[in-house]
Amino acid sequence: MPVQETLNFTIFIKNFIEFPIFGVKHGNMVDNLRKPCTFHPKDNKDCPIFTIDYIMNEAEKNISERNLMLLHGGVIRIKLDWNCNLDRNIKLCKPKYSFARLDVPFYENPFSRGFNFRYASYWKYNEEHFRMLTKAYGLRFIISVSGKAGKFDFIQLTLNTGSLVGLFGLATFVCDIILLHLSKNARNYRDFVFEIVRLQTRNDCTINMSKKYVPRNDDEYSNSESNSDVELPFETPRNSPSALGKTAIMAPVTFVNPYQFKY
């Protein structure tokens, strides 16, 4: 038989899955399955019968690699993923099929190409024993199954909600809202929580400014010996003892010209 005709062979995958926590068992066989049928991703997704051609096209997109796999063998993984919502009818839970190639591609020139195995056959003829070792090439399919299921649980929802509220620190805020606005003793609780503070204002202390006439000598800048009175403002420091409503008195200050002395 030519190698290309093996693409028309079919594989029937029959799988059962169990979720012991919920006590549910289910399989990929449907009740209204048409016989015979062939899997198609759009027209017939419930049929568990696959052709070799479809599996190889999904696992390897390169045509030359697929032809070499038919000659030298290869390893293909078939994976079934179950994701069931047990709040709905169990018949609506159906697996998703995916295919992938596991052996090393031929264009990378691996040490061991494709997939092969050896087996021996023994026979006896004319009191002589014979043994023949055969090396066979073929396609190896590895089927893996994974699944998860969920069902609504009010107790679990309450625990998760409480953990979320405590995590974000909303427990105190929610309790205050309930006690301040929804409780019968909201007024008493409000008196303990809030404190009324009455603020009293007082006038700032004023600082008096004193003035003193001081004789001024301008001989440093002119030759005249005329003195004039200068009005000097004086501000009392805030931290001095005479700061609060008191006046400080300064003694007369005389400016002396150093050039009028002769040595």
Side-chain angles (χ1 to χ4, degrees):
M1 179 183 295
V3 178
Q4 294 294 333
E5 293 186 4
T6 58
L7 297 176
N8 297 325
F9 290 176
T10 58
I11 297 177
F12 174 46
I13 300 176
K14 191 175 183 179
N15 176 244
F16 294 93
I17 192 170
E18 179 184 4
F19 301 104
I21 297 178
F22 305 104
V24 175
K25 295 181 180 180
H26 189 50
N28 63 337
M29 299 293 297
V30 295
D31 298 335
N32 56 351
L33 183 63
R34 295 179 301 173
K35 298 180 181 180
C37 67
T38 304
F39 178 85
H40 191 273
K42 294 182 179 180
D43 299 334
N44 199 359
K45 298 187 295 183
D46 298 334
C47 182
I49 301 175
F50 302 85
T51 60
I52 301 295
D53 186 27
Y54 176 79
I55 294 175
M56 294 191 65
N57 288 334
E58 292 294 323
E60 179 59 57
K61 303 299 182 181
N62 193 339
I63 299 177
S64 60
E65 288 288 329
R66 290 201 300 267
N67 294 331
L68 291 175
M69 289 176 66
L70 293 176
L71 294 176
H72 302 284
V75 182
I76 298 177
R77 184 205 64 187
I78 303 175
K79 186 176 181 181
L80 285 76
D81 291 325
W82 295 83
N83 188 3
C84 300
N85 184 4
L86 299 182
D87 293 325
R88 303 186 301 174
N89 191 348
I90 190 61
K91 294 182 179 180
L92 299 177
C93 180
K94 301 176 182 179
K96 292 184 178 180
Y97 301 92
S98 60
F99 308 91
R101 182 182 178 184
L102 300 182
D103 61 301
V104 182
F106 295 99
Y107 64 85
E108 295 183 5
N109 296 323
F111 175 77
S112 178
R113 304 178 62 184
F115 173 76
N116 59 79
F117 60 95
R118 294 173 175 85
Y119 65 94
S121 57
Y122 303 88
W123 71 91
K124 184 179 180 181
Y125 180 74
N126 292 333
E127 300 299 329
E128 293 184 5
H129 295 276
F130 296 90
R131 173 180 176 269
M132 183 174 64
L133 182 64
T134 304
K135 183 178 182 181
Y137 297 88
L139 297 175
R140 182 180 181 182
F141 298 99
I142 299 177
I143 299 177
S144 62
V145 181
S146 64
K148 61 180 180 179
K151 192 175 184 180
F152 177 77
D153 189 0
F154 181 76
I155 297 177
Q156 190 67 27
L157 176 64
T158 305
L159 294 176
N160 293 338
T161 305
S163 301
L164 182 63
V165 171
L167 180 63
F168 288 97
L170 299 179
T172 304
F173 176 76
V174 173
C175 292
D176 289 340
I177 293 297
I178 294 175
L179 292 176
L180 290 174
H181 300 282
L182 303 179
S183 177
K184 295 181 180 179
N185 299 325
R187 180 175 298 179
N188 297 332
Y189 182 75
R190 192 179 294 107
D191 294 338
F192 282 103
V193 173
F194 300 102
E195 180 181 359
I196 300 175
V197 179
R198 294 181 175 85
L199 300 178
Q200 296 180 355
T201 59
R202 60 182 181 179
N203 297 327
D204 296 333
C205 298
T206 58
I207 300 176
N208 296 330
M209 303 293 295
S210 62
K211 298 181 180 180
K212 184 67 178 178
Y213 291 94
V214 181
R216 176 181 175 184
N217 194 339
D218 295 335
D219 292 341
E220 182 179 357
Y221 305 99
S222 62
N223 295 329
S224 62
E225 296 181 357
S226 61
N227 294 331
S228 61
D229 295 335
V230 180
E231 183 179 351
L232 298 178
F234 176 76
E235 180 179 356
T236 305
R238 290 181 178 271
N239 55 358
S240 65
S242 60
L244 300 178
K246 296 182 180 181
T247 304
I249 301 175
M250 293 184 60
V253 179
T254 304
F255 295 93
V256 180
N257 187 1
Y259 295 100
Q260 66 182 356
F261 297 99
K262 296 181 180 180
Y263 299 95

